[in-house]
Coordinates of all heavy atoms in Angstrom, one line a residue:
M766 N -66.5 -158.4 24.0 CA -67.8 -158.6 24.2 C -67.9 -159.8 25.3 O -67.4 -160.9 24.9 CB -68.6 -158.8 23.0 CG -69.9 -159.3 23.3 SD -71.1 -159.9 22.0 CE -70.4 -159.5 20.4
P767 N -68.6 -159.7 26.3 CA -68.7 -160.8 27.3 C -69.6 -161.9 26.6 O -70.5 -161.7 25.9 CB -69.4 -160.2 28.6 CG -69.7 -158.8 28.2 CD -69.2 -158.5 26.8
L768 N -69.2 -163.1 27.1 CA -70.0 -164.3 26.6 C -71.3 -164.5 27.4 O -71.3 -164.2 28.6 CB -69.2 -165.6 26.8 CG -67.9 -165.7 25.9 CD1 -67.2 -167.0 26.4 CD2 -68.3 -165.8 24.5
S769 N -72.4 -164.8 26.7 CA -73.6 -165.1 27.4 C -73.4 -166.4 28.2 O -72.6 -167.2 28.0 CB -74.8 -165.3 26.4 OG -74.6 -166.5 25.7
D770 N -74.4 -166.7 29.1 CA -74.4 -167.9 29.9 C -74.5 -169.1 28.9 O -73.9 -170.1 29.2 CB -75.5 -167.9 30.9 CG -75.3 -166.9 32.1 OD1 -74.1 -166.5 32.2 OD2 -76.2 -166.6 32.8
D771 N -75.3 -169.0 27.9 CA -75.5 -170.1 27.0 C -74.2 -170.4 26.3 O -73.8 -171.6 26.0 CB -76.6 -169.8 25.9 CG -78.0 -169.9 26.6 OD1 -78.1 -170.6 27.6 OD2 -78.9 -169.4 26.0
D772 N -73.4 -169.4 25.9 CA -72.1 -169.5 25.2 C -71.1 -170.2 26.2 O -70.4 -171.0 25.7 CB -71.6 -168.2 24.7 CG -72.3 -167.6 23.5 OD1 -73.0 -168.4 22.8 OD2 -72.3 -166.4 23.3
K773 N -71.1 -169.7 27.4 CA -70.2 -170.3 28.4 C -70.5 -171.8 28.5 O -69.6 -172.7 28.6 CB -70.3 -169.6 29.7 CG -69.7 -168.2 29.7 CD -69.9 -167.6 31.0 CE -69.5 -166.1 31.1 NZ -69.8 -165.5 32.4
L774 N -71.8 -172.2 28.7 CA -72.1 -173.5 28.9 C -71.8 -174.3 27.7 O -71.3 -175.5 27.7 CB -73.7 -173.6 29.2 CG -74.2 -175.0 29.5 CD1 -73.6 -175.6 30.7 CD2 -75.7 -175.0 29.7
N775 N -72.1 -173.8 26.6 CA -71.8 -174.6 25.3 C -70.3 -174.8 25.2 O -69.9 -175.9 24.7 CB -72.2 -173.8 24.0 CG -72.2 -174.6 22.8 OD1 -72.5 -175.8 22.8 ND2 -71.8 -174.0 21.7
G776 N -69.5 -173.9 25.6 CA -68.0 -174.0 25.5 C -67.6 -175.1 26.6 O -66.7 -175.9 26.3
R777 N -68.2 -175.1 27.7 CA -67.8 -176.1 28.8 C -68.2 -177.5 28.3 O -67.5 -178.5 28.6 CB -68.6 -175.8 30.0 CG -68.0 -174.5 30.7 CD -68.9 -174.1 31.8 NE -68.7 -174.8 33.0 CZ -69.4 -174.6 34.1 NH1 -70.4 -173.8 34.2 NH2 -69.1 -175.4 35.2
L778 N -69.3 -177.6 27.6 CA -69.7 -179.0 27.2 C -69.1 -179.5 25.8 O -68.8 -180.6 25.7 CB -71.3 -179.0 27.0 CG -72.1 -178.9 28.3 CD1 -73.6 -178.8 27.9 CD2 -71.9 -180.0 29.2
H779 N -69.0 -178.5 24.9 CA -68.5 -178.9 23.6 C -67.3 -178.3 23.1 O -66.8 -178.5 22.0 CB -69.6 -178.6 22.6 CG -70.9 -179.2 22.9 ND1 -71.2 -180.5 22.9 CD2 -72.1 -178.6 23.3 CE1 -72.5 -180.7 23.2 NE2 -73.0 -179.6 23.5
G780 N -66.5 -177.6 24.0 CA -65.3 -176.8 23.7 C -64.2 -177.8 23.4 O -64.3 -179.0 23.5
E781 N -63.1 -177.2 23.1 CA -61.9 -178.0 22.8 C -61.4 -178.8 23.9 O -61.5 -178.4 25.1 CB -60.8 -176.9 22.5 CG -59.8 -177.4 21.4 CD -58.8 -176.3 21.1 OE1 -59.3 -175.3 20.6 OE2 -57.7 -176.4 21.4
Q782 N -61.1 -180.0 23.7 CA -60.6 -180.9 24.7 C -59.2 -180.8 24.9 O -58.4 -180.8 23.9 CB -60.9 -182.4 24.3 CG -62.5 -182.7 24.2 CD -63.0 -182.9 25.6 OE1 -62.5 -183.6 26.4 NE2 -64.1 -182.2 25.9
P783 N -58.7 -180.8 26.1 CA -57.2 -180.8 26.4 C -56.7 -182.1 25.9 O -57.4 -183.1 26.0 CB -57.1 -180.6 27.9 CG -58.4 -180.9 28.4 CD -59.4 -180.8 27.4
E784 N -55.4 -182.1 25.6 CA -54.8 -183.4 25.2 C -54.8 -184.4 26.4 O -54.5 -183.9 27.5 CB -53.3 -183.1 24.9 CG -53.2 -182.4 23.5 CD -53.7 -183.3 22.3 OE1 -53.4 -184.5 22.3 OE2 -54.4 -182.8 21.4
A785 N -55.1 -185.6 26.1 CA -55.1 -186.5 27.2 C -54.6 -187.9 26.6 O -54.9 -188.2 25.5 CB -56.6 -186.8 27.7
Q786 N -53.7 -188.6 27.3 CA -53.2 -189.8 26.9 C -54.2 -190.9 27.0 O -54.9 -191.0 28.0 CB -51.9 -190.1 27.7 CG -51.1 -191.2 27.2 CD -49.8 -191.4 28.0 OE1 -49.4 -190.6 28.9 NE2 -49.1 -192.4 27.7
R787 N -54.2 -191.8 26.1 CA -55.1 -192.9 26.1 C -54.6 -193.9 27.1 O -53.4 -194.3 27.1 CB -55.2 -193.5 24.7 CG -56.3 -194.6 24.6 CD -56.3 -195.2 23.3 NE -56.8 -194.2 22.4 CZ -58.0 -194.2 21.9 NH1 -58.8 -195.2 22.1 NH2 -58.5 -193.3 21.0
D788 N -55.4 -194.3 28.0 CA -55.0 -195.3 29.0 C -55.1 -196.7 28.5 O -55.9 -197.0 27.5 CB -56.0 -195.3 30.2 CG -55.9 -194.0 31.0 OD1 -54.8 -193.5 31.2 OD2 -57.0 -193.5 31.4
A789 N -54.4 -197.7 29.1 CA -54.5 -199.1 28.8 C -56.0 -199.6 29.0 O -56.6 -198.9 29.9 CB -53.6 -199.9 29.6
M790 N -56.4 -200.5 28.2 CA -57.9 -200.9 28.4 C -58.2 -201.3 29.8 O -59.3 -200.9 30.2 CB -58.1 -202.1 27.4 CG -59.6 -202.4 27.3 SD -60.7 -201.0 27.0 CE -60.6 -200.9 25.3
L791 N -57.4 -202.0 30.5 CA -57.8 -202.4 31.9 C -57.9 -201.2 32.8 O -58.8 -201.1 33.6 CB -56.8 -203.4 32.4 CG -57.0 -204.0 33.8 CD1 -58.4 -204.6 33.9 CD2 -56.0 -204.9 34.3
V792 N -57.0 -200.3 32.6 CA -57.1 -199.1 33.5 C -58.3 -198.3 33.1 O -59.0 -197.8 34.0 CB -55.7 -198.2 33.2 CG1 -55.8 -196.8 33.8 CG2 -54.5 -199.0 33.6
R793 N -58.6 -198.1 31.8 CA -59.9 -197.5 31.5 C -61.1 -198.1 32.0 O -62.0 -197.4 32.5 CB -60.0 -197.4 29.9 CG -61.2 -196.5 29.5 CD -61.3 -196.3 28.0 NE -62.5 -195.5 27.7 CZ -62.5 -194.2 27.5 NH1 -61.4 -193.6 27.6 NH2 -63.6 -193.6 27.3
V794 N -61.1 -199.4 32.0 CA -62.2 -200.1 32.6 C -62.4 -199.8 34.1 O -63.5 -199.6 34.6 CB -62.2 -201.7 32.3 CG1 -63.2 -202.5 33.1 CG2 -62.3 -202.0 30.9
L795 N -61.2 -199.7 34.8 CA -61.3 -199.5 36.2 C -61.8 -198.0 36.4 O -62.7 -197.7 37.3 CB -59.9 -199.6 36.9 CG -59.5 -201.0 36.9 CD1 -58.0 -201.1 37.5 CD2 -60.4 -201.9 37.8
Y796 N -61.3 -197.0 35.5 CA -61.8 -195.7 35.6 C -63.4 -195.7 35.3 O -64.2 -195.0 35.9 CB -61.1 -194.8 34.7 CG -59.8 -194.2 35.2 CD1 -58.6 -194.5 34.5 CD2 -59.8 -193.4 36.4 CE1 -57.4 -194.0 35.0 CE2 -58.6 -192.9 36.8 CZ -57.4 -193.2 36.2 OH -56.3 -192.7 36.6
M797 N -63.8 -196.4 34.3 CA -65.2 -196.4 34.0 C -66.0 -197.0 35.1 O -67.2 -196.4 35.3 CB -65.4 -197.2 32.7 CG -64.8 -196.5 31.4 SD -64.9 -197.6 29.9 CE -66.7 -197.3 29.5
L798 N -65.6 -198.0 35.8 CA -66.4 -198.5 37.0 C -66.5 -197.5 38.1 O -67.6 -197.2 38.6 CB -65.7 -199.8 37.4 CG -65.9 -201.0 36.5 CD1 -65.0 -202.2 37.1 CD2 -67.4 -201.4 36.4
L799 N -65.3 -196.8 38.3 CA -65.4 -195.8 39.4 C -66.3 -194.6 39.0 O -67.1 -194.1 39.8 CB -64.0 -195.4 39.6 CG -63.7 -194.3 40.7 CD1 -64.3 -194.8 42.1 CD2 -62.3 -194.0 40.9
I800 N -66.2 -194.1 37.7 CA -67.0 -193.1 37.2 C -68.5 -193.5 37.2 O -69.3 -192.7 37.5 CB -66.5 -192.5 35.9 CG1 -65.2 -191.9 36.2 CG2 -67.5 -191.5 35.3 CD1 -64.4 -191.5 34.9
W801 N -68.7 -194.7 36.9 CA -70.1 -195.2 37.0 C -70.7 -195.1 38.4 O -71.9 -194.7 38.5 CB -70.2 -196.7 36.5 CG -71.5 -197.3 36.7 CD1 -72.7 -197.1 36.0 CD2 -71.8 -198.3 37.7 NE1 -73.7 -197.9 36.5 CE2 -73.1 -198.7 37.5 CE3 -71.1 -199.0 38.7 CZ2 -73.8 -199.6 38.3 CZ3 -71.7 -199.9 39.4 CH2 -73.0 -200.2 39.3
L802 N -69.9 -195.4 39.4 CA -70.3 -195.3 40.8 C -70.6 -193.8 41.1 O -71.6 -193.4 41.7 CB -69.3 -195.9 41.7 CG -69.3 -197.4 41.8 CD1 -68.1 -197.9 42.6 CD2 -70.6 -198.0 42.2
M803 N -69.7 -193.0 40.6 CA -69.8 -191.5 40.9 C -71.1 -190.9 40.2 O -71.8 -190.1 40.7 CB -68.6 -190.8 40.4 CG -67.3 -191.1 41.2 SD -65.8 -190.5 40.5 CE -65.9 -188.8 40.9
L804 N -71.4 -191.5 39.0 CA -72.6 -191.0 38.3 C -73.9 -191.5 39.0 O -74.8 -190.7 39.1 CB -72.6 -191.6 36.8 CG -71.8 -190.9 35.7 CD1 -71.6 -191.7 34.6 CD2 -72.5 -189.5 35.5
S805 N -73.8 -192.6 39.6 CA -74.9 -193.1 40.4 C -75.2 -192.2 41.6 O -76.2 -191.7 41.9 CB -74.7 -194.5 40.9 OG -74.7 -195.4 39.8
L806 N -74.1 -191.8 42.3 CA -74.2 -190.9 43.4 C -74.7 -189.5 42.9 O -75.5 -188.8 43.5 CB -72.8 -190.7 44.1 CG -72.8 -189.7 45.2 CD1 -73.7 -190.1 46.3 CD2 -71.3 -189.6 45.7
A807 N -74.2 -189.0 41.7 CA -74.6 -187.8 41.2 C -76.1 -187.8 40.9 O -76.7 -186.7 41.0 CB -73.8 -187.5 39.9
Q808 N -76.7 -188.8 40.4 CA -78.0 -188.9 40.2 C -78.9 -188.7 41.4 O -79.9 -188.0 41.4 CB -78.5 -190.3 39.6 CG -79.9 -190.5 39.3 CD -80.3 -189.6 38.1 OE1 -79.6 -189.4 37.1 NE2 -81.5 -189.1 38.2
T809 N -78.4 -189.3 42.5 CA -79.1 -189.1 43.8 C -78.9 -187.7 44.3 O -80.0 -187.1 44.8 CB -78.4 -190.0 44.9 OG1 -78.6 -191.4 44.4 CG2 -79.1 -189.8 46.2
V810 N -77.8 -187.1 44.2 CA -77.6 -185.6 44.6 C -78.5 -184.7 43.7 O -79.1 -183.8 44.2 CB -76.1 -185.2 44.3 CG1 -76.0 -183.8 44.5 CG2 -75.2 -186.0 45.4
L811 N -78.6 -185.0 42.4 CA -79.4 -184.3 41.5 C -80.9 -184.4 41.9 O -81.6 -183.4 41.9 CB -79.3 -184.8 40.0 CG -80.2 -184.1 39.0 CD1 -79.9 -182.6 39.0 CD2 -80.0 -184.7 37.7
T812 N -81.3 -185.5 42.4 CA -82.7 -185.7 42.8 C -83.0 -184.9 44.0 O -84.0 -184.2 44.1 CB -83.1 -187.2 43.0 OG1 -82.8 -187.9 41.8 CG2 -84.5 -187.4 43.6
V813 N -82.0 -184.9 45.0 CA -82.2 -184.2 46.2 C -82.2 -182.7 45.9 O -83.0 -181.9 46.5 CB -81.1 -184.6 47.2 CG1 -81.0 -183.6 48.5 CG2 -81.2 -185.9 47.8
A814 N -81.3 -182.2 45.1 CA -81.2 -180.8 44.7 C -82.6 -180.3 44.0 O -83.0 -179.2 44.2 CB -80.0 -180.5 43.9
T815 N -83.1 -181.2 43.2 CA -84.3 -180.9 42.5 C -85.5 -180.7 43.4 O -86.2 -179.7 43.3 CB -84.6 -182.0 41.5 OG1 -83.6 -182.1 40.5 CG2 -86.0 -181.8 40.7
V816 N -85.6 -181.7 44.4 CA -86.7 -181.5 45.3 C -86.5 -180.3 46.2 O -87.5 -179.6 46.4 CB -86.8 -182.9 46.2 CG1 -87.7 -182.7 47.4 CG2 -87.2 -184.0 45.3
L817 N -85.3 -180.1 46.6 CA -85.0 -178.9 47.5 C -85.4 -177.6 46.8 O -86.0 -176.7 47.3 CB -83.5 -178.9 47.9 CG -83.1 -177.8 48.9 CD1 -84.0 -177.8 50.2 CD2 -81.6 -178.0 49.2
Q818 N -85.0 -177.5 45.5 CA -85.2 -176.3 44.7 C -86.7 -176.1 44.5 O -87.2 -175.0 44.6 CB -84.5 -176.4 43.3 CG -84.6 -175.1 42.5 CD -83.8 -174.0 43.1 OE1 -84.1 -173.4 44.1 NE2 -82.8 -173.6 42.3
L819 N -87.5 -177.2 44.3 CA -88.9 -177.1 44.2 C -89.5 -176.6 45.5 O -90.4 -175.8 45.3 CB -89.4 -178.6 43.8 CG -90.9 -178.7 43.6 CD1 -91.4 -177.8 42.5 CD2 -91.4 -180.1 43.5
V820 N -89.1 -177.1 46.6 CA -89.6 -176.5 47.8 C -89.3 -175.1 48.0 O -90.2 -174.3 48.4 CB -89.1 -177.4 49.1 CG1 -89.4 -176.7 50.3 CG2 -89.6 -178.8 49.0
I821 N -88.1 -174.7 47.7 CA -87.7 -173.3 47.8 C -88.5 -172.4 46.8 O -89.0 -171.4 47.3 CB -86.1 -173.2 47.5 CG1 -85.3 -173.7 48.6 CG2 -85.7 -171.7 47.2 CD1 -83.8 -173.9 48.3
M822 N -88.8 -172.9 45.7 CA -89.5 -172.1 44.7 C -90.9 -172.0 45.1 O -91.7 -171.0 44.9 CB -89.4 -172.7 43.3 CG -88.0 -172.5 42.7 SD -87.8 -173.3 41.1 CE -88.8 -172.3 40.0
A823 N -91.5 -173.1 45.7 CA -92.9 -173.0 46.2 C -93.0 -172.0 47.3 O -94.0 -171.3 47.4 CB -93.3 -174.4 46.7
V824 N -92.0 -172.0 48.3 CA -92.1 -171.1 49.3 C -91.9 -169.6 49.0 O -92.5 -168.7 49.5 CB -91.1 -171.5 50.4 CG1 -90.9 -170.5 51.5 CG2 -91.5 -172.8 51.0
S825 N -91.0 -169.4 47.9 CA -90.7 -168.0 47.6 C -91.3 -167.6 46.3 O -90.9 -166.7 45.6 CB -89.1 -167.9 47.4 OG -88.7 -168.8 46.3
K826 N -92.6 -168.0 46.1 CA -93.4 -167.7 45.0 C -92.7 -167.7 43.6 O -92.8 -166.9 42.7 CB -93.8 -166.2 45.2 CG -94.7 -166.1 46.5 CD -95.2 -164.7 46.6 CE -96.0 -164.6 47.8 NZ -95.5 -164.0 49.0
G827 N -92.0 -168.9 43.4 CA -91.3 -169.1 42.1 C -89.9 -168.6 41.9 O -89.4 -168.9 40.8
A828 N -89.3 -168.0 42.9 CA -88.0 -167.6 42.8 C -87.0 -168.7 43.1 O -87.1 -169.1 44.3 CB -87.7 -166.4 43.6
P829 N -86.1 -169.1 42.2 CA -85.2 -170.2 42.6 C -84.0 -169.7 43.4 O -83.7 -168.5 43.4 CB -84.7 -170.7 41.2 CG -84.8 -169.5 40.4 CD -86.0 -168.7 40.8
N830 N -83.4 -170.6 44.1 CA -82.2 -170.2 44.9 C -81.1 -170.2 43.8 O -80.8 -171.3 43.2 CB -81.9 -171.3 46.0 CG -80.6 -171.0 46.7 OD1 -79.6 -171.2 46.2 ND2 -80.7 -170.6 48.0
E831 N -80.4 -169.1 43.7 CA -79.3 -168.9 42.6 C -78.2 -169.9 42.9 O -77.6 -170.4 41.9 CB -78.9 -167.5 42.5 CG -80.0 -166.5 42.1 CD -80.4 -166.9 40.6 OE1 -79.6 -167.2 39.8 OE2 -81.6 -166.7 40.4
R832 N -77.7 -170.0 44.1 CA -76.6 -170.9 44.4 C -76.9 -172.3 44.1 O -76.1 -173.1 43.5 CB -76.2 -170.8 45.8 CG -75.5 -169.4 46.1 CD -75.1 -169.2 47.5 NE -74.2 -170.3 48.0 CZ -74.0 -170.5 49.3 NH1 -74.5 -169.8 50.3 NH2 -73.1 -171.5 49.7
L833 N -78.1 -172.8 44.4 CA -78.5 -174.1 44.1 C -78.7 -174.3 42.6 O -78.3 -175.4 42.0 CB -79.8 -174.4 44.8 CG -80.3 -175.9 44.8 CD1 -79.3 -176.8 45.2 CD2 -81.6 -176.1 45.5
A834 N -79.2 -173.2 41.9 CA -79.3 -173.4 40.4 C -77.9 -173.5 39.8 O -77.7 -174.3 38.9 CB -80.0 -172.1 39.9
E835 N -77.0 -172.7 40.3 CA -75.6 -172.8 39.7 C -75.0 -174.2 40.0 O -74.3 -174.7 39.2 CB -74.7 -171.7 40.3 CG -73.3 -171.8 39.8 CD -72.7 -170.5 39.5 OE1 -73.4 -169.4 39.3 OE2 -71.4 -170.5 39.4
F836 N -75.2 -174.7 41.2 CA -74.8 -176.0 41.6 C -75.3 -177.0 40.6 O -74.6 -177.9 40.1 CB -75.1 -176.4 43.0 CG -74.9 -177.8 43.4 CD1 -73.6 -178.2 43.6 CD2 -75.9 -178.7 43.4 CE1 -73.3 -179.6 43.9 CE2 -75.7 -180.1 43.7 CZ -74.3 -180.5 43.9
G837 N -76.5 -176.9 40.3 CA -77.2 -177.8 39.3 C -76.5 -177.7 37.9 O -76.3 -178.8 37.3
T838 N -76.2 -176.5 37.5 CA -75.5 -176.3 36.2 C -74.2 -177.0 36.2 O -73.8 -177.8 35.4 CB -75.3 -174.9 35.9 OG1 -76.6 -174.3 35.7 CG2 -74.6 -174.7 34.6
D839 N -73.3 -176.8 37.4 CA -72.0 -177.5 37.5 C -72.2 -179.0 37.5 O -71.4 -179.7 36.9 CB -71.3 -177.0 38.7 CG -70.9 -175.5 38.7 OD1 -70.8 -175.0 37.6 OD2 -70.7 -174.9 39.7
L840 N -73.2 -179.5 38.2 CA -73.4 -181.0 38.3 C -73.7 -181.5 36.9 O -73.2 -182.5 36.5 CB -74.5 -181.2 39.3 CG -74.8 -182.7 39.5 CD1 -73.7 -183.5 40.1 CD2 -76.0 -182.9 40.5
G841 N -74.5 -180.7 36.2 CA -74.9 -181.2 34.8 C -73.7 -181.2 33.9 O -73.5 -182.1 33.1
V842 N -72.8 -180.2 34.0 CA -71.6 -180.2 33.2 C -70.7 -181.4 33.6 O -70.2 -182.1 32.7 CB -70.8 -178.8 33.4 CG1 -69.5 -178.9 32.8 CG2 -71.6 -177.7 32.8
W843 N -70.6 -181.7 34.9 CA -69.8 -182.8 35.3 C -70.5 -184.1 34.7 O -69.7 -185.0 34.2 CB -69.7 -182.9 36.8 CG -68.9 -184.0 37.2 CD1 -67.5 -184.1 37.4 CD2 -69.3 -185.4 37.5 NE1 -67.0 -185.3 37.7 CE2 -68.1 -186.2 37.7 CE3 -70.5 -186.0 37.5 CZ2 -68.1 -187.5 38.1 CZ3 -70.5 -187.4 37.7 CH2 -69.4 -188.1 38.0
I844 N -71.7 -184.3 34.8 CA -72.3 -185.4 34.3 C -72.1 -185.6 32.8 O -71.8 -186.6 32.3 CB -73.8 -185.4 34.6 CG1 -74.1 -185.7 36.1 CG2 -74.6 -186.5 33.9 CD1 -75.5 -185.4 36.6
A845 N -72.2 -184.5 32.1 CA -71.9 -184.5 30.6 C -70.5 -184.9 30.3 O -70.3 -185.8 29.4 CB -72.2 -183.2 30.0
K846 N -69.5 -184.4 31.0 CA -68.1 -184.7 30.8 C -67.9 -186.3 31.2 O -67.2 -187.0 30.6 CB -67.2 -183.9 31.6 CG -67.1 -182.5 31.1 CD -66.1 -181.7 31.9 CE -65.9 -180.3 31.2 NZ -64.9 -179.6 31.8
A847 N -68.6 -186.6 32.3 CA -68.4 -188.1 32.6 C -69.0 -189.0 31.6 O -68.4 -190.1 31.2 CB -69.1 -188.3 34.0
A848 N -70.1 -188.6 31.0 CA -70.8 -189.3 30.0 C -69.9 -189.4 28.7 O -69.8 -190.5 28.0 CB -72.2 -188.8 29.6
R849 N -69.3 -188.3 28.4 CA -68.4 -188.3 27.2 C -67.3 -189.3 27.4 O -66.9 -190.0 26.5 CB -67.8 -186.9 27.0 CG -68.8 -186.0 26.4 CD -68.3 -184.6 26.4 NE -67.4 -184.3 25.2 CZ -66.9 -183.1 25.0 NH1 -67.1 -182.1 25.8 NH2 -66.2 -183.0 24.0
F850 N -66.7 -189.4 28.6 CA -65.6 -190.4 28.9 C -66.1 -191.7 28.8 O -65.5 -192.6 28.3 CB -65.0 -190.0 30.3 CG -63.8 -191.0 30.6 CD1 -62.6 -190.9 30.0 CD2 -64.0 -192.1 31.4 CE1 -61.6 -191.7 30.3 CE2 -63.1 -193.0 31.7 CZ -61.8 -192.8 31.1
Q851 N -67.3 -192.0 29.5 CA -67.9 -193.3 29.6 C -68.2 -193.8 28.3 O -68.0 -195.1 28.0 CB -69.1 -193.3 30.5 CG -68.9 -193.0 31.9 CD -68.2 -194.1 32.7 OE1 -67.0 -194.2 32.6 NE2 -68.9 -194.9 33.4
T852 N -68.6 -193.1 27.3 CA -69.0 -193.5 26.0 C -67.9 -193.5 24.9 O -68.1 -193.7 23.8 CB -70.2 -192.8 25.5 OG1 -69.9 -191.4 25.4 CG2 -71.4 -193.0 26.4
G853 N -66.7 -193.1 25.4 CA -65.5 -193.0 24.4 C -65.5 -191.8 23.6 O -64.7 -191.7 22.7
G854 N -66.3 -190.8 24.0 CA -66.3 -189.5 23.2 C -65.2 -188.6 23.6 O -64.9 -187.6 22.9
S855 N -64.5 -188.9 24.6 CA -63.3 -188.1 25.1 C -62.4 -189.0 25.9 O -62.9 -190.0 26.6 CB -63.8 -186.9 25.9 OG -62.8 -186.3 26.6
E856 N -61.2 -188.7 25.9 CA -60.2 -189.4 26.8 C -60.0 -188.6 28.1 O -59.2 -189.1 28.9 CB -58.8 -189.6 26.1 CG -58.9 -190.5 24.9 CD -59.3 -191.9 25.3 OE1 -58.8 -192.4 26.3 OE2 -60.1 -192.6 24.6
V857 N -60.6 -187.4 28.2 CA -60.4 -186.6 29.3 C -61.4 -187.0 30.4 O -62.6 -187.1 30.3 CB -60.7 -185.1 29.0 CG1 -60.6 -184.2 30.2 CG2 -59.8 -184.6 27.9
K858 N -60.8 -187.4 31.6 CA -61.6 -187.8 32.7 C -62.2 -186.6 33.4 O -61.5 -185.6 33.4 CB -60.7 -188.7 33.7 CG -60.2 -189.9 33.1 CD -59.2 -190.5 34.1 CE -58.2 -191.3 33.4 NZ -57.3 -190.7 32.5
P859 N -63.4 -186.8 34.0 CA -64.1 -185.6 34.7 C -63.3 -185.3 36.0 O -62.5 -186.1 36.4 CB -65.4 -186.0 34.8 CG -65.4 -187.5 34.9 CD -64.2 -187.9 34.0
W860 N -63.7 -184.3 36.7 CA -63.2 -184.0 38.0 C -63.5 -185.3 38.9 O -64.5 -186.0 38.7 CB -64.1 -182.9 38.6 CG -63.7 -182.5 40.0 CD1 -62.8 -181.6 40.4 CD2 -64.2 -183.1 41.2 NE1 -62.7 -181.6 41.8 CE2 -63.5 -182.5 42.3 CE3 -65.2 -184.0 41.5 CZ2 -63.8 -182.8 43.6 CZ3 -65.4 -184.3 42.8 CH2 -64.8 -183.8 43.8
P861 N -62.5 -185.7 39.7 CA -61.4 -184.9 40.3 C -60.1 -185.1 39.5 O -59.1 -184.6 40.0 CB -61.3 -185.6 41.7 CG -61.8 -187.0 41.5 CD -62.8 -187.0 40.4
W862 N -60.1 -185.7 38.4 CA -58.9 -186.0 37.6 C -58.5 -184.7 36.8 O -57.4 -184.6 36.4 CB -59.0 -187.2 36.7 CG -59.1 -188.4 37.5 CD1 -58.1 -189.1 38.2 CD2 -60.3 -189.0 37.9 NE1 -58.6 -190.1 38.9 CE2 -60.0 -190.2 38.7 CE3 -61.7 -188.9 37.6 CZ2 -61.0 -191.0 39.2 CZ3 -62.6 -189.7 38.1 CH2 -62.3 -190.8 38.9
T863 N -59.5 -183.9 36.5 CA -59.3 -182.6 35.8 C -60.0 -181.5 36.5 O -60.8 -181.8 37.4 CB -59.7 -182.7 34.3 OG1 -61.1 -183.1 34.3 CG2 -59.0 -183.7 33.5
E864 N -59.8 -180.3 36.0 CA -60.5 -179.2 36.7 C -62.0 -179.3 36.4 O -62.4 -179.8 35.4 CB -60.0 -177.8 36.0 CG -58.5 -177.4 36.4 CD -58.4 -177.3 37.8 OE1 -59.2 -176.5 38.5 OE2 -57.4 -177.7 38.4
L865 N -62.7 -178.8 37.4 CA -64.2 -178.8 37.3 C -64.7 -177.8 36.2 O -65.7 -177.9 35.7 CB -64.8 -178.6 38.7 CG -66.3 -178.7 38.8 CD1 -66.8 -180.1 38.2 CD2 -66.8 -178.5 40.1
D866 N -64.0 -176.7 36.0 CA -64.3 -175.5 35.2 C -65.1 -174.6 36.0 O -66.0 -174.0 35.9 CB -65.2 -175.9 34.0 CG -64.4 -176.6 32.9 OD1 -63.1 -176.4 32.8 OD2 -64.9 -177.4 32.2

């Protein structure tokens, strides 16, 4: 039986974590600073994508652009994985250190 989109997303966000070696504290701090910068950029990209999708939906009578919607889902998954690493919920670093999924 194929998985629903909700099941796939739930697995991407809350699924089993691959084994990852714990970094030394100084190395982790450096990764956290870099990922913090990447999260700031991701927030800007999310804002632009949101405004663009709003314009597309207004012009096309409510129909979203599917590629942009999928990009938003992927961006959201990346942000969630980055947040898990930042808050110590996971030792797995987000893309580009691991697969994007």
Side-chain angles (χ1 to χ4, degrees):
M766 169 182 357
L768 294 175
S769 71
D770 287 343
D771 287 339
D772 289 337
K773 289 179 188 176
L774 182 61
N775 190 40
R777 291 169 79 185
L778 291 175
H779 305 292
E781 213 173 296
Q782 293 284 308
E784 288 294 319
Q786 187 173 357
R787 186 178 294 253
D788 293 318
M790 184 55 80
L791 181 59
V792 173
R793 184 177 180 97
V794 168
L795 293 174
Y796 277 120
M797 290 176 78
L798 288 171
L799 183 58
I800 293 170
W801 171 71
L802 290 171
M803 294 169 73
L804 278 166
S805 296
L806 178 62
Q808 181 70 35
T809 301
V810 170
L811 178 61
T812 300
V813 170
T815 301
V816 171
L817 184 59
Q818 186 73 292
L819 181 63
V820 170
I821 290 169
M822 291 176 71
V824 170
S825 64
K826 298 180 177 107
N830 178 290
E831 293 299 322
R832 288 177 58 194
L833 189 55
E835 178 140 342
F836 170 76
T838 299
D839 290 341
L840 182 60
V842 168
W843 182 87
I844 290 171
K846 287 182 174 189
R849 285 171 83 178
F850 179 79
Q851 292 291 79
T852 60
S855 172
E856 293 298 319
V857 178
K858 295 171 208 67
W860 178 90
W862 296 279
T863 58
E864 290 294 319
L865 187 55
D866 287 333

